[in-house]
Amino acid sequence: MKISAVPYVAFKALRRNRMRTILTALGIVIGVAAVITMVGLGQGASAEVQEQVNRLGQNVVLVFPGARQLGGVSIGGGSANTLTTDDARALREEIPEVIAASPEVRSQTLIVFGNRNYQTRVYGQSHDYLQIRQWAVESGRMYTEEEVERSALVAVVGQTIVEEVFEGADPIGETIRVRGVPLTVIGVLERKGMSLMGSVQDDIVIIPYTTAFQRISGRTHAMVINIQVYDEQSMGIAQEKITDLLRERHRLAPYQENDFTVQTQEDVAQTATETSRIMTLLLASIAGVSLFVGGIGIMNVMLVSVTERTREVGLRLAVGARAPDVLFQFLIEAVVLCLLGGIGGIVLGIISTELIATYAGWPALFSTEAMLVAVGVSAVVGVFFGFYPAWKASRLDPIVALRSE
Amino acid sequence: MSLVQLKHITRVYKSGSLAVEALRGIDLEISEGNFVSIMGASGSGKSTLMNILGCLDKPTSGNYNLAGEDVSTFDKNRLAKIRNRMLGFVFQSFHLLPRTSALENVELPLLYNDDNLSWKEIHKRAREALEIVSLGDRTDHNPNELSGGQQQRVAIARALVSKPKILLADEPTGNLDSRTTLEIVELFQRLNQDGLTIIMVTHEPEIARFSNRIITLRDGLMSSDKSIEPLNARQALKNWKDQEKIQLESEVLS
Ligand SMILES: Nc1ncnc2c1ncn2[C@@H]1O[C@H](COP(=O)(O)OP(=O)(O)O)[C@@H](O)[C@H]1O
Ligand SMILES: [Mg+2]
């Protein structure tokens, strides 16, 4: 058969049944759009995670209490009581590579300013916590080591607090109450945005850990110790030294396991990206199901089409078409149908990703690969689901086909 | 040597334990330039014979020699090529593709031709074929925009477009009124005068009188084979027109 006539004949046949073509392609459009949207959102999330990890700070080591691990990352979340503020101090003072160490304690609590109440997280940290996090104050100042020593009643607040509690007014010098303890605001933090876990990092109050332990949380042990290491080359040795020192301080015998977990930001990053990769895969496979359903729609319509056009097939065979010509014709028709759906799906996918990204505030990323894959997959769907009907058509006997009603 | 040579052709249809002997031994020779009518009662095997002549079906036994080649030994693909190159088909129910222009309907056989003609050449040949059947001005019309006679002429143009040796027509006028039938037969006579061999099935004796040979089938066998002096279809059409005119005038007068 004349090669250039094949796509032409396919387009003609699809145009003859315009409404049906549109409805059938719609199945593929939705499938492809779903895949693109899901992959777009998933990849956006991955990129965001990566960025967040980078924003976590540089050369950061985290020490969690307890040895519980999941995929290399502690899920203890500070449930065990094995890390003390003295551990933190010792780490900073005895290991030369460690240039900052902040024992962290978190409380989810209400803060009061005048007649306003606001639920937020209050963090107890050392004076060098902002250095570890590569975070800066926008106005005012961070508390000093001396203020930590004497459990000063001071606080540094994030942007969300300024907006929600102070309604945008300058909070410096104002006094907020946390669990009845009056704290003077001395600094406002730069905006930081969302965290790895999707929480707004600016929704935060930071106070000296001494004040937090003694007056606010009622806890005696750190939930995590945030550590900054001098430089990247020292990360490995620093981790070893941290482990050794903590084992020694906790008086662990050689046969005993660590009662803490040391992690670097890379570990955290790896787990986070792995998690979001799995999420992307999961979302994409759910979307893939709708593409599959679209493919079944194609097969159904192609079968109907072959039955309806039995006489046409008979005629084509009579005037010299061979079985492969007929097979190819219907196959290409299914593929063209799927490709049309694929192109429509890309357009719809981009639009829906944009919409979700704007209105739900989720990050999204378009990759050309995802689109090429979507188009490739829809072509494969066309071949896969178009083959049986096309094969059926090519097996027709011209005489029988011509006589059919 | 004859263009078509059938030697003791039989065709048995088997369906389950039942076997229908549609053709029971046909010996037939048709030479180039003949215009043959095949007649016979319904079920006598006319269509079965046409399918075999048209290489759409194979005989159960016997030999079919077409233009010097024994096509009864050919496989499906070679038969498809023979149909495409040597034969043109015209059917009772036209078999035009719906919602497809006359021109594209006529182009169809050329798409399956191995010469890989250019689109320009394909359009040109299709247009020429439509001009032969006097539809040069209807190339863009879809079948539903054409009368039955015009549709059948498009089908004839499609049969002619690859310049076949034989035109096979199974009751080509079965769906047409007598005036249109006469026009189609007149067209066949013209094509035959230009050298085309035509084999036409009809059950109307008046139509068969326009061909130069009448073969009659009965129960799968040839019961008669007569060469005749054909009536002139053009003359018949002219008479018809005159009569119509007289009738019309008398109606107007009364
Ligand atoms: N595909 C078929 N299967 C079984 N029997 C058939 C088939 N086609 C035709 N016949 C039988 O063969 C005989 C001849 O049929 P056909 O050639 O169509 O006759 P005609 O065209 O003269 O009316 C009839 O008895 C018919 O029933
Ligand atoms: Mg018949």
Side-chain angles (χ1 to χ4, degrees), chain A residues 1-2 4-5 8-9 12 16-17 311-312 315-322 325 329 397-399 402, chain B residues 51 56-57 77 80-81 83-84 89 91 95 97-100 104 108 111-112 114 116-117 119 122 158:
Chain A
M1 185 175 183
K2 190 175 172 57
S4 60
Y8 178 75
V9 168
K12 277 294 284 197
R16 284 212 305 254
N17 262 310
R311 269 156 43 119
E312 175 190 328
L315 178 79
R316 287 178 187 274
L317 291 169
V319 301
R322 299 170 181 119
D325 295 329
Q329 180 196 330
D397 175 49
I399 303 167
L402 280 170
Chain B
N51 289 339
L56 287 164
D57 194 11
N77 286 346
K81 189 164 181 172
R83 291 198 295 272
N84 185 251
F89 293 93
F91 307 93
H95 285 315
L97 300 189
R99 280 172 272 182
T100 303
E104 287 187 40
L108 202 62
L111 303 184
Y112 296 105
D114 286 331
N116 197 22
L117 302 168
W119 279 109
I122 289 175
R158 181 181 61 199

Side-chain angles (χ1 to χ4, degrees), chain B residues 26 92 171 246:
Chain B
I26 303 278
Q92 180 174 356
E171 302 200 33
I246 292 164

Side-chain angles (χ1 to χ4, degrees), chain B residues 201-212:
Chain B
V201 169
T202 179
H203 55 251
E204 294 172 81
E206 316 87 84
I207 304 305
R209 296 277 286 119
F210 292 100
S211 66
N212 55 27

Side-chain angles (χ1 to χ4, degrees), chain B residues 181-250:
Chain B
T181 297
L182 210 48
E183 284 173 358
I184 296 295
V185 171
E186 192 271 332
L187 174 59
F188 279 1
Q189 260 188 0
R190 247 193 304 138
L191 295 169
N192 179 242
Q193 270 149 27
D194 291 342
L196 183 66
T197 309
I198 298 177
I199 306 173
M200 171 180 77
V201 169
T202 179
H203 55 251
E204 294 172 81
E206 316 87 84
I207 304 305
R209 296 277 286 119
F210 292 100
S211 66
N212 55 27
R213 182 174 169 192
I214 304 176
I215 291 167
T216 313
L217 295 187
R218 183 188 293 162
D219 295 334
L221 287 169
M222 261 168 62
S223 64
S224 82
D225 180 1
K226 281 185 294 220
S227 290
I228 58 162
E229 192 53 45
L231 292 180
N232 186 329
R234 183 179 306 184
Q235 191 57 48
L237 197 58
K238 192 170 172 293
N239 292 346
W240 185 295
K241 281 179 183 162
D242 290 344
Q243 221 167 341
E244 245 179 6
K245 211 166 143 200
I246 292 164
Q247 209 173 352
L248 208 71
E249 278 165 0
S250 63

Side-chain angles (χ1 to χ4, degrees), chain A residues 227-246:
Chain A
I227 294 168
Q228 188 174 33
V229 173
Y230 175 67
D231 63 10
E232 210 178 327
Q233 284 73 35
S234 318
M235 288 291 277
I237 184 93
Q239 284 183 72
E240 277 173 34
K241 288 188 180 176
I242 290 167
T243 308
D244 291 346
L245 181 62
L246 287 177

